[in-house]
């Protein structure tokens, strides 16, 4: 146990959410099996990781774990999406620590932007990093819902919507009381961030049909890149202002994502291009 602490523990001054909160015991067992396969008491080791966030964070940053993650084609079946994307985002943060600039596409040309420090600062916020891992995980499966909306006394209407359709989420939020709009506002922001970061190529009208033909998903509300950014900034801010954001401790996170929306797309784009590449559809829309 002391050897584990010596190898993986490091100082972390942030008092934020814990990685262990979004990981299952199966995830922690997977980590220990890869990094410490000969440890005699794996259950004890899992308990240690639950208690000591510094050790867990050190393990999540271990290059051996990342290498195994990338090489295993069927890995998403073995671990939770939260662990999968958490490891990738931590790796992305390390990648940006060694860069001085990021690349943005503007009118089909690449532009060099010297803002890598902003990306690192954003990901150094553990609350943000964990939120992004959860957000990415939520797109592993797209869901449709059917709800009854009260139009007036005695009159109800059944409304169907997808959690991947911005327009239907906007229409739904207009039908319910303000305090019930939090989940739809937040989801609109998530969709805009996800598309802008992970699938920016599908923003173009030329590629819109690919969502339906290859990914079996259709985005009814097709927007320009600037449209996704504006919608993302606006609805994250609207969500942050609702009482439900305070109750769920998400107000500060959503406010920060609203203020730094373009910056937040960059680690997702880097992850998509460098580590998911052409097989990224394997991880989403199942």
């Amino acid at each position: 146990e002391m050897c584990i602490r010596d190898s993986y523990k490091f100082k972390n001054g942030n008092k934020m959410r814990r990685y262990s909160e979004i990981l299952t015991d199966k995830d922690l067992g997977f980590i220990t099996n890869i990094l410490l396969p000969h440890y005699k008491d794996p259950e004890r080791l899992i308990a240690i990781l639950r208690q000591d966030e510094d050790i867990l964070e050190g393990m999540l940053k271990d290059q051996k774990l990342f290498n195994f993650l990338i090489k295993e084609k069927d890995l998403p079946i073995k671990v939770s999406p939260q662990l999968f994307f958490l490891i990738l985002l931590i790796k992305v943060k390390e990648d940006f620590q060694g860069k001085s600039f990021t690349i943005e596409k503007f009118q089909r040309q690449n532009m060099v932007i010297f803002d890598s420090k902003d990306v690192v600062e954003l990901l150094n916020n553990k609350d943000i990093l964990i939120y992004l891992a959860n957000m990415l995980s939520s797109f592993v499966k797209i869901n449709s819902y059917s709800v009854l909306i009260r139009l007036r006394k005695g009159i109800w209407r059944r409304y169907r919507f997808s959690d991947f359709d911005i327009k239907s989420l906007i229409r739904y939020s207009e039908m319910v009381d303000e305090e019930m709009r939090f989940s739809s506002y937040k989801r609109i922001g998530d969709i805009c961030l996800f598309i802008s970061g992970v699938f920016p190529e599908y923003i173009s009208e030329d590629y819109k049909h690919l969502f339906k033909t290859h990914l079996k998903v259709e985005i009814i509300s097709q927007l320009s890149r600037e449209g996704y950014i504006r919608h993302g900034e606006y609805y994250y801010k609207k969500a942050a202002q609702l009482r439900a954001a305070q109750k769920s401790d998400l107000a500060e996170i959503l406010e920060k994502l609203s203020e730094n929306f373009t910056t937040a797309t960059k680690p997702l784009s880097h992850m998509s291009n460098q580590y998911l590449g052409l097989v990224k559809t394997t991880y989403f829309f199942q």
Side-chain angles (χ1 to χ4, degrees):
E1 186 171 327
M2 289 303 296
C3 180
I4 297 169
R5 294 182 185 277
D6 291 342
S7 298
Y8 288 105
K9 193 162 186 177
F10 56 93
K11 286 190 176 181
N12 183 356
N14 295 328
K15 299 292 184 181
M16 299 183 179
R17 282 175 171 80
R18 297 167 62 87
Y19 292 132
S20 57
E21 293 175 4
I22 67 169
L23 300 179
T24 65
D25 282 351
K26 182 179 178 181
D27 290 331
L28 299 180
F30 172 82
I31 294 170
T32 59
N33 186 55
I34 298 301
L35 299 181
L36 297 167
H38 304 298
Y39 195 80
K40 295 181 180 179
D41 191 351
E43 291 185 0
R44 170 59 180 159
L45 188 49
I46 290 173
I48 292 172
L49 296 182
R50 286 279 179 213
Q51 297 169 5
D52 198 316
E53 185 77 350
D54 290 346
I55 295 176
L56 175 57
E57 186 165 356
M59 286 185 162
L60 289 170
K61 295 173 67 174
D62 196 298
Q63 185 67 32
K64 183 178 178 181
L65 184 63
F66 172 78
N67 291 340
F68 189 89
L69 182 89
I70 294 300
K71 291 177 182 178
E72 283 289 311
K73 294 181 180 180
D74 62 343
L75 193 59
I77 301 173
K78 298 179 180 179
V79 301
S80 71
Q82 284 83 357
L83 175 59
F84 180 76
F85 293 116
L86 191 59
I87 294 172
L88 287 186
L89 287 168
I90 289 172
K91 174 61 175 173
V92 166
K93 182 176 73 170
E94 291 183 342
D95 290 347
F96 275 102
Q97 287 173 337
K99 294 178 178 289
S100 59
F101 60 86
T102 63
I103 301 294
E104 284 188 15
K105 283 189 177 295
F106 181 74
Q107 296 181 348
R108 298 186 178 182
Q109 293 185 346
N110 290 335
M111 296 180 59
V112 175
I113 310 294
F114 292 92
D115 62 350
S116 60
K117 289 184 179 179
D118 295 334
V119 176
V120 173
E121 182 180 352
L122 190 69
L123 294 182
N124 274 337
N125 185 323
K126 188 183 289 188
D127 286 349
I128 295 290
L129 198 148
I130 289 175
Y131 182 89
L132 292 177
N134 276 326
M135 183 272 287
L136 290 167
S137 301
S138 74
F139 288 99
V140 167
K141 183 176 177 59
I142 302 302
N143 300 296
S144 295
Y145 301 94
S146 177
V147 296
L148 282 173
I149 302 293
R150 184 178 182 273
L151 300 180
R152 55 184 180 274
K153 187 176 181 180
I155 305 296
W156 294 78
R157 174 185 172 186
R158 184 168 296 280
Y159 185 73
R160 293 178 174 83
F161 63 95
S162 163
D163 65 0
F164 198 59
D165 178 15
I166 294 173
K167 282 186 178 178
S168 69
L169 287 167
I170 292 175
R171 287 197 299 269
Y172 168 72
S173 65
E174 292 171 346
M175 295 178 184
V176 298
D177 294 337
E178 185 177 23
E179 282 307 310
M180 296 178 63
R181 298 174 185 175
F182 174 72
S183 60
S184 55
Y185 283 173
K186 183 175 79 68
R187 184 63 175 180
I188 293 168
D190 288 345
I191 294 170
C192 292
L193 182 58
F194 176 75
I195 296 298
S196 300
V198 181
F199 285 97
E201 63 269 33
Y202 295 107
I203 291 176
S204 168
E205 186 68 29
D206 297 336
Y207 294 96
K208 181 181 177 181
H209 69 285
L210 292 180
F211 265 114
K212 189 172 184 179
T213 57
H214 292 281
L215 308 185
K216 299 180 181 179
V217 175
E218 183 175 10
I219 303 179
I220 299 173
S221 46
Q222 183 74 8
L223 302 171
S224 65
R225 180 177 182 273
E226 292 74 19
Y228 279 109
I229 292 173
R230 288 197 303 271
H231 275 68
E233 292 172 340
Y234 176 79
Y235 281 100
Y236 271 145
K237 189 172 187 65
K238 293 281 285 186
Q241 293 170 344
L242 295 177
R243 189 181 305 171
Q246 296 288 347
K247 290 181 178 179
S248 57
D249 293 325
L250 290 174
E252 186 176 339
I253 295 172
L254 297 176
E255 184 74 31
K256 197 168 189 67
L257 288 173
S258 174
E259 295 171 353
N260 299 274
F261 188 88
T262 302
T263 300
T265 66
K266 295 188 176 184
L268 303 185
S269 295
H270 182 80
M271 178 197 72
S272 176
N273 294 331
Q274 296 297 316
Y275 304 124
L276 299 181
L278 297 177
V279 299
K280 60 188 172 185
T281 55
T282 303
Y283 306 102
F284 300 110
F285 314 120
Q286 296 176 16

